[in-house]
Amino acid sequence: MDFLLELVDQIGYLAMFLFSWVVFLGLPVPNELAAALAGYLSEWRHFDPYTSFFFMYSGLISYGIFAFLNGRYFGSKVISRMMKGKKSKKLIENGEIWLHKYGPLAISFSYFIPGVRLFMPYIAGASKGIPFMKFLLYALPSAFVWGFIYFQIGRYFPKSFQAILEEVSVKAGIFFAIVFISIIIYVLIHIMKKSTLTTKWKKVRYRK
């Protein structure tokens, strides 16, 4: 935390861009803290909130693009290196299962799952079945919503934002899991209804 504040004093807005890369750089700082810290600084260090959010969001997206391209061009080598730890291995396996089951929607959903959001761009890139533009289509809106939520937490709860980040992350994950499952159920019901109507129409035509 002190290191991040010192970084801001030295390079200003550019530090907010780098906050999204701190996990990649090896610092044990969660993404939620990095996003919330940008909001905190915009409110209590008199940084412009729009510029602060822009730099934070740009860092988040650039990390996702970097990870996707690494997965695309280095594929299994990158994934196998990441799977050395037990926790990382489990997160990657879950991400691969979700991507196989739900396709690119899993990219959107992953931003609200701690840990998985870091690995999903690599997994999506390594899958070969998801074009770069489709990755952006599903990643950009979700990254914006996720970043905006934690940015606002940092702005409006400056004294306690670190304490509430974990609780919010869990609740956000549960909420978006419910929304995601609801969408899947709705789509399945719609497909089943369409299939039933098609079958009935064929039977009517056959009788005629």
Side-chain angles (χ1 to χ4, degrees):
M1 183 70 173
D2 292 333
F3 169 78
L4 295 179
L5 291 174
E6 287 178 14
L7 195 62
V8 172
D9 290 334
Q10 291 176 13
I11 60 177
Y13 289 111
L14 186 58
M16 300 180 193
F17 176 88
L18 296 175
F19 288 166
S20 301
W21 289 74
V22 291
V23 175
F24 175 80
L25 295 174
L27 297 175
V29 179
N31 294 112
E32 292 88 350
L33 177 59
L37 187 58
Y40 166 82
L41 291 168
S42 71
E43 190 69 19
W44 295 91
R45 291 283 187 96
H46 305 294
F47 284 90
D48 179 69
Y50 297 102
T51 307
S52 300
F53 181 80
F54 172 77
F55 275 89
M56 182 277 294
Y57 180 64
S58 298
L60 183 64
I61 291 303
S62 65
Y63 172 83
I65 291 173
F66 172 82
F68 179 88
L69 294 176
N70 266 271
R72 177 56 46 91
Y73 293 111
F74 299 102
S76 57
K77 291 182 181 178
V78 175
I79 300 297
S80 60
R81 186 172 295 180
M82 289 179 170
M83 292 180 73
K84 288 182 179 180
K86 289 183 179 179
K87 187 177 179 180
S88 298
K89 185 177 180 180
K90 188 175 181 181
L91 289 170
I92 290 172
E93 286 175 349
N94 287 338
E96 288 175 336
I97 291 169
W98 293 345
L99 191 64
H100 178 72
K101 263 189 174 183
Y102 308 115
L105 275 175
I107 297 170
S108 299
F109 182 68
S110 68
Y111 276 92
F112 301 93
I113 307 298
V116 177
R117 81 174 66 93
L118 297 174
F119 297 112
M120 184 57 78
Y122 289 101
I123 298 168
S127 71
K128 305 292 184 183
I130 298 176
F132 177 66
M133 293 307 296
K134 182 175 280 191
F135 167 76
L136 290 181
L137 179 66
Y138 284 88
L140 293 179
S142 293
F144 183 90
V145 173
W146 178 87
F148 183 78
I149 290 171
Y150 288 101
F151 185 84
Q152 293 298 89
I153 288 173
R155 286 190 68 195
Y156 294 110
F157 303 97
K159 294 182 180 179
S160 57
F161 75 89
Q162 293 186 63
I164 65 176
L165 288 181
E166 186 176 347
E167 183 181 352
V168 171
S169 295
V170 173
K171 289 182 178 179
I174 294 171
F175 173 76
F176 282 98
I178 293 170
V179 171
F180 186 68
I181 291 169
S182 300
I183 292 171
I184 295 298
I185 292 172
Y186 173 80
V187 171
L188 288 174
I189 292 172
H190 180 72
I191 291 171
M192 289 174 67
K193 283 184 177 179
K194 191 174 180 180
S195 177
T196 304
L197 288 171
T198 304
T199 304
K200 287 181 178 179
W201 173 247
K202 285 181 178 179
K203 286 181 178 180
V204 170
R205 288 186 65 188
Y206 180 76
R207 285 175 184 174
K208 287 181 179 180

